[in-house]
Amino acid sequence: MVDRKHKIKFIFKLVGAITGACVGISAGAAFKVGLKNIDASIFGYISGAFAIVTAVMHVYYAKRRFTYDNSHLLKLLMYVGCFVQLAGVVSFVVYLVLGCLYQTDKFIIVGRNYFLTCVWCFMTWKWGFFLFLHARTYYKEIMKTAEDGFHDPINEES
């Protein structure tokens, strides 16, 4: 039962990350080509990129590629996730203020729309948060496994 539960959770995480990557990249292309909103396009592409990083991290964890010896990669992903969250929040606030101050028509879709860019800043924050959260969870699980079953074959007594 527990194994099946973990498998279902993994599938949902992976499908969510892949969906996020597809939506982010599609939105980036749509905003750049069709709607001429380069700001939202950039944040759409960034959101999709970090969704891909999150998906790859899930696959690496499922294939047991993260071990005690290379757990520093998970720490790096945690730091990257924190940075992306910070960038997402700051850009969200900046575009919200710009939208409140300079955008007279709130319902335009074609051209520069600060409020649409706010949505994609939030999506970028979300993928930074998921990257941090799952990297932290995987790191803790690896450290717990290493504590419980760690043995040193070099200094092991015969």
Side-chain angles (χ1 to χ4, degrees):
M1 180 73 178
V2 173
D3 189 47
R4 182 181 171 146
K5 181 181 174 185
H6 286 295
K7 195 176 212 178
I8 291 171
K9 283 174 74 175
F10 167 75
I11 289 171
F12 274 116
K13 288 177 189 177
L14 188 61
V15 167
I18 291 171
T19 304
C22 291
V23 169
I25 292 170
S26 299
F31 281 121
K32 183 175 179 5
V33 175
L35 300 176
K36 308 290 187 230
N37 188 346
I38 193 71
D39 299 335
S41 173
I42 290 170
F43 280 103
Y45 283 134
I46 291 171
S47 174
F50 284 105
I52 290 171
V53 170
T54 304
V56 169
M57 181 185 63
H58 290 316
V59 170
Y60 268 43
Y61 181 76
K63 290 187 173 190
R64 308 240 188 268
R65 298 276 173 96
F66 293 122
T67 61
Y68 180 78
D69 295 332
N70 64 359
S71 61
H72 63 279
L73 295 174
L74 288 170
K75 276 215 169 209
L76 176 67
L77 289 174
M78 285 193 290
Y79 289 130
V80 169
C82 284
F83 176 75
V84 172
Q85 286 183 70
L86 179 65
V89 167
V90 168
S91 58
F92 179 85
V93 170
V94 166
Y95 279 105
L96 189 64
V97 168
L98 286 172
C100 290
L101 292 178
Y102 297 116
Q103 190 165 331
T104 55
D105 187 8
K106 314 260 187 293
F107 300 109
I108 61 168
I109 294 176
V110 178
R112 177 165 282 178
N113 186 336
Y114 294 120
F115 296 113
L116 277 176
T117 307
C118 279
V119 171
W120 285 99
C121 292
F122 173 77
M123 297 300 278
T124 301
W125 171 85
K126 177 187 79 167
W127 285 112
F129 175 73
F130 283 150
L131 182 63
F132 171 78
L133 180 71
H134 295 303
R136 182 173 169 250
T137 303
Y138 295 158
Y139 181 79
K140 283 185 173 185
E141 287 180 17
I142 287 172
M143 290 298 119
K144 184 178 183 304
T145 304
E147 280 180 10
D148 293 345
F150 184 74
H151 71 283
D152 189 1
I154 297 173
N155 296 324
E156 188 175 290
E157 294 181 21
S158 305

